[in-house]
């Protein structure tokens, strides 16, 4: 066991866990933050996606020991009341079916838009192909991403 | 068009079994009103009072007292909150939105005031609470609207008495009662008084043209919780002092536990106990949904998930061949002793076995006319064989369940589709009375049929009982995939007899599978061909199988719809025109009696599909497209799939879908569901397969079980619904099966080759090399 001071959603939280423990289980079992989901445990499905210093990472395959001073953002850190633009877009497009994959999808999408505010279809495919949606909501996910990414026209409206 | 409302609304006897006014009054009291503590009204009502539901419950052999009394409720509080209880678990099919919409419509309240709550399980109050069979909306269409209408009528009556006016002069809109004198009140203001009034014996339901909530898209009532990561799913369930449990199951179908040594594993940090347990006691009679793969397993219990995962790796277990196992089943065919064969199956042998069985005499399922003679006299016979593998459900949320079993009571909670069927088994294995077992249903991260089978619930209960502690059982993805209840492996040989003028004079389907026969003998094209024969056979196996989104149909639609495409080609006919000709025959002069489908609705879907896809239009001449349509459960669906080659690979670019599911309750969510079914169908047909080597599943996680991903999904899926006023007939499953056929037919147009074996991706690679 070892103590870690983790920066999660802007707050420092201390946990005492085995160094090999993946961030996914630190969040879910030790910090009671269950928005981040377990889907495969081997970086294949994206359900566990969080941000480490703004980049999308699979928390199931990220041992707590390598996080260090890195800033973790989880779905709970976007907003608790669904006011983040991506969350709003997700609601606007009524994306979810079962909803289980969606926090991972949202975290991948947020990281994409942060690093690439105007992604092309191919950019979106590339960034989102690590996230499986068993219910098949891919079209809506893409539409939701595009609605946030739409460049503003000079008069301020969406294109 | 039976069972539907007339244009101007209907008078529905409350609790009447008749939909659409054939008003036999129920034996059961249907609605009951009471005052809420603190003011307001509570209207409780039974869910299972529509004719459909009653029939269904009869089929499921549930005793009548379990059909329900006083089940769900509508609560209207003085501050105008309308709380609607949803009895059925949500797994992405939108019931927590669409069912309350039906109540709110007839109640005439403001949708903004509606709060939806999930009920707990209660066999007595709510019936089976089964989610599956595309049944939820269909089953509740009448009872929920009746309840909403009754509450509205009581609120009107309360206002009439308060204001001293006639009830007939009061109108309602968006939760406001108004009188021509200018008086008005919110529902909440009248709710306490309404609670004291008699429940009306008869209510008037709205005509579909007057709907303002139903058929008008509403957002998912749990959408905000989903996008903010609130605890919703079984995986998220937690209580103080809860331990985490995992199971080590035999590595192969046909194996069992021999012995194990947990000394090293038990020393691992956080581990509380490791023990083997039996799921069912000797002599246990398994119900139809008690399917379990292995009866003896090892449980690893510890403080946290990661600790349990790590300890599990240190477990030293020996396994041995189980041999043939005798099981007593009480399923659809009544109580019977079955022998589960012990052989360790390998996919190549499974294929050989199926080919061998396909040659043997089979059980005749339906025969019309004289098919033997038709085939003897045929100028041309087309014969094709189609194969499909086992499929794993792969719900995004792996199986899991919480259990806290104590001396005198038990609480179990988690994701499951059929709580009503698990309760009797829990009663037996825990030796507790039903009223001491509480079952809570969480939102499910997918179901697709998998969560209708309760073995993981019982496993959790067993482990908690042994530990005398609250535990949550978690399957890893590997457990979930290799220890599943799969879509069976299927094959079918289709034959068509054409005369010298290329008329279809005979049709023959002979299908089988491991361990289940897929044939739906009374479905199209039965009824459309004079000489028809359907046969089926089965090979027993130790690979456990169960319902998978549109059971059997998901194979039949692939095989039959590809075959019809090929027959149309041989006849020189357009594939849609060919189907329409057959359906016209089935409509005007059907062959045989028990045809399951309504040819008119089938025709309607094909015609809508033709129109919306621009089928045969010059502007689409260059497109590589495949079409298929299918009827299953009680709805009709068809797709036109447009395919392209990119980097030497076929991709579905665009899909046009047409569906007749009667009245569409929540159109945007319904479109989402159809789009999802299309993506799912493309994914399963291209990539889905669970194969075996010596009984060991060869796929174990998403690195070797390929799932469709965003870049492989179509760019566009246009969904169109047949506009009619038929009572809803279900949507979760029907759009799924025809995707397979449409994909196969588009593949032919794109590559010039017919594909007979799923997954198509493997077949494509084989043909290339
Ligand atoms: S759970 Fe981490 S990628 Fe699947
Ligand atoms: S919404 Fe169910 S897995 Fe994506």
């Amino acid at each position: 066991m070892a103590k870690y001071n983790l920066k999660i959603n802007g707050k420092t939280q201390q946990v005492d866990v085995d160094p090999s423990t993946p961030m996914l289980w630190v969040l879910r079992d030790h910090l009671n933050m269950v928005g981040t989901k377990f889907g495969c445990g081997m970086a294949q499905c994206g359900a566990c996606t969080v941000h480490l210093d703004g980049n999308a990472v699979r928390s199931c395959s990220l041992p707590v020991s390598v996080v260090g001073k890195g800033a973790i953002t989880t779905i709970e850190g976007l907003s608790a009341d669904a006011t983040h633009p991506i969350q709003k877009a997700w609601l606007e497009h009524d994306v979810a079916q079962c909803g289980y994959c969606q926090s991972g999808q949202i975290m991948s999408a947020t990281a994409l838009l942060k690093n690439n505010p105007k992604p092309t279809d191919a950019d979106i495919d590339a960034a989102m192909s690590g996230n499986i949606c068993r219910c098949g909501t891919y079209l809506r996910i893409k539409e939701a991403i595009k609605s946030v990414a739409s460049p503003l026209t000079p008069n301020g409206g969406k294109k | 068009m039976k069972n539907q409302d007339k244009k101007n609304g209907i008078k529905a006897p409350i609790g009447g079994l008749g939909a659409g006014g054939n008003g036999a009054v129920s034996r059961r009291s249907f609605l009951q009103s009471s005052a809420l503590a603190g003011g307001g009204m509570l209207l409780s009502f039974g869910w299972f009072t529509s004719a459909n539901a009653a029939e269904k419950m009869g089929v499921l052999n549930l005793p009548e007292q379990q059909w329900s009394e006083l089940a769900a409720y509508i609560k209207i509080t003085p501050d105008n909150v309308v709380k609607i209880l949803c009895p059925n678990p949500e797994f992405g099919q939108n019931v927590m939105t669409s069912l309350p919409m039906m109540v709110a419509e007839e109640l005439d309240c403001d949708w903004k005031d509606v709060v939806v709550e999930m009920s707990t399980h209660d066999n007595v109050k709510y019936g089976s609470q089964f989610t599956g069979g595309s049944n939820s909306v269909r089953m509740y269409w009448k009872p929920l609207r009746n309840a909403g209408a009754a509450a509205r009528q009581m609120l009107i009556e309360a206002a009439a008495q308060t204001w001293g006016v006639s009830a007939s002069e009061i109108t309602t809109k968006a939760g406001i009662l108004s009188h021509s004198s200018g008086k008005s009140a919110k529902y909440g203001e009248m709710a306490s008084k309404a609670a004291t009034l008699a429940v009306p014996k008869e209510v008037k339901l709205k005509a579909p043209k007057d709907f303002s909530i139903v058929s008008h898209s509403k957002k998912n009532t749990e959408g905000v919780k989903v996008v903010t990561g609130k605890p919703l799913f079984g995986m998220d369930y937690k209580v103080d002092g809860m331990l985490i449990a995992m199971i080590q199951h035999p590595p192969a179908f046909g194996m069992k536990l021999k012995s194990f040594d947990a000394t090293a594993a038990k020393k691992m940090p956080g581990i509380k106990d490791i023990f083997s347990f039996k799921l069912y006691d000797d002599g246990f009679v398994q119900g139809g949904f008690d399917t379990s793969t292995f009866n003896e397993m090892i449980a690893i219990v510890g403080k946290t998930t990661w600790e349990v995962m790590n300890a599990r790796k240190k477990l030293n277990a020996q396994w041995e061949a189980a041999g043939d196992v005798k099981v007593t089943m009480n399923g659809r065919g009544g109580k019977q002793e079955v022998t589960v064969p012990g052989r360790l199956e390998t996919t190549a042998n499974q294929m050989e076995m199926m080919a061998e069985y396909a040659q043997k005499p089979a059980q005749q399922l339906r025969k019309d006319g004289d098919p033997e003679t038709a085939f003897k006299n045929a100028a041309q016979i087309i014969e094709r064989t189609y194969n499909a593998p086992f499929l794993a459900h792969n719900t995004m949320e792996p199986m899991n369940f919480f259990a806290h079993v104590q001396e005198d009571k038990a609480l179990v909670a988690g994701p499951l589709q059929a709580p009503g069927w698990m309760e009797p088994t829990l009663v037996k294995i825990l030796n507790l009375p039903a009223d001491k077992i509480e079952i809570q249903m969480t939102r499910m991260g997918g179901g697709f049929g998998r969560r209708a089978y309760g073995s993981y619930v019982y496993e959790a209960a067993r482990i908690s009982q042994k530990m005398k502690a609250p535990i949550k059982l978690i399957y890893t993805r590997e457990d979930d995939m290799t220890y599943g209840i799969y879509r069976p492996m299927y094959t079918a040989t289709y034959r068509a007899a054409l005369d010298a003028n290329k008329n279809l004079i005979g049709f023959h389907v002979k299908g089988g599978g491991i361990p289940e026969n897929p044939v739906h003998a009374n479905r199209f094209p039965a009824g459309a061909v004079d000489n028809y024969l359907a046969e089926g056979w089965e090979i027993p196996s130790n690979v456990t199988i169960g319902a998978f989104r549109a059971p059997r149909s998901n194979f039949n639609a692939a095989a039959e719809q590809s075959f019809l495409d090929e027959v149309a080609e041989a006849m020189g006919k357009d594939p849609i025109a060919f189907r329409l000709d057959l359906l016209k025959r089935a409509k005007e002069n059907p062959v045989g009696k028990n045809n399951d489908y309504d040819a008119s609705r089938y025709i309607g879907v094909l015609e809508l599909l033709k129109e919306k896809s621009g089928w045969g239009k010059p502007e689409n001449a260059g497109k590589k497209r495949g079409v298929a349509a299918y009827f299953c459960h009680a709805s009709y669906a068809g797709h036109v799939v447009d395919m392209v080659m990119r980097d030497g690979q076929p991709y579905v670019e665009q899909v046009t879908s047409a569906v007749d599911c009667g009245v569409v309750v929540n159109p945007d969510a319904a479109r989402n569901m159809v789009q999802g079914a299309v993506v799912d169908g493309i994914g399963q047909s291209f990539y889905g397969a669970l194969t075996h080597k010596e009984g060991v599943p060869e796929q174990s996680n998403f690195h070797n079980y390929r799932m469709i991903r965003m870049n492989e999904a179509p760019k566009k899926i246009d969904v169109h619904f047949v506009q009619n006023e038929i009572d809803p007939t279900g949507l979760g499953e029907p759009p799924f099966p025809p995707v397979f056929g449409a994909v196969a037919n588009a593949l032919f147009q794109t590559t010039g080759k017919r594909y007979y074996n799923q997954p198509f991706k493997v077949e494509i690679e084989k043909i290339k090399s």
Side-chain angles (χ1 to χ4, degrees), chain B residues 65-125:
Chain B
Q65 62 271 26
Q66 288 188 10
W67 291 3
S68 84
E69 296 297 329
L70 296 192
Y73 60 67
I74 306 169
K75 272 185 204 169
I76 303 172
T77 63
D79 55 352
N80 225 36
V81 174
V82 178
K83 191 175 260 185
I84 299 174
L85 188 81
C86 179
N88 262 28
E90 169 75 57
F91 66 170
Q93 83 283 42
N94 201 243
V95 282
M96 282 190 75
T97 309
S98 51
L99 298 187
M101 283 172 75
M102 285 152 33
V103 177
E105 177 64 64
E106 297 291 346
L107 179 59
D108 227 2
C109 63
D110 191 336
W111 181 248
K112 285 203 296 291
D113 296 332
V114 172
V115 175
V116 181
E117 203 174 70
M118 182 67 215
S119 78
T120 56
H121 171 70
D122 192 323
N123 250 1
V124 180
K125 280 190 186 169

Side-chain angles (χ1 to χ4, degrees), chain B residues 213-229:
Chain B
I213 295 174
V214 166
S215 301
H216 294 72
S217 300
K218 299 288 172 227
K219 305 285 188 216
N220 195 323
T221 56
E222 292 204 306
V224 170
K225 290 183 191 161
V226 168
V227 303
T228 53

Side-chain angles (χ1 to χ4, degrees), chain A residues 20 22 28-29 32 35 37 39-40 42 44 75 80 87 92 94-95 97-98 100 129 134-135 138 140, chain B residues 92 219-220 227 229-230 235-236 238 305-306 393-394 396 443 477 668 672 675-676 680 701 708-709 711:
Chain A
S20 70
R28 293 186 57 88
D29 282 358
N32 267 332
K37 302 298 187 210
C40 68
M42 62 181 301
Q44 291 289 323
I75 185 81
Q87 290 170 320
E92 188 47 43
D94 215 17
V95 173
Q97 285 189 34
C98 82
Y100 193 79
S129 286
R134 174 66 179 85
C135 300
Y138 297 124
R140 284 176 187 237
Chain B
K219 305 285 188 216
N220 195 323
V227 303
K230 299 284 183 307
M235 275 286 185
D236 307 338
K238 195 167 192 178
T305 312
W306 186 244
H393 292 82
N394 293 340
M396 218 50 226
R443 190 180 181 89
R477 175 58 57 193
D668 189 50
N672 195 356
Q675 290 168 336
D680 190 6
N701 203 322
I708 188 165
R709 291 172 185 268
N711 59 320

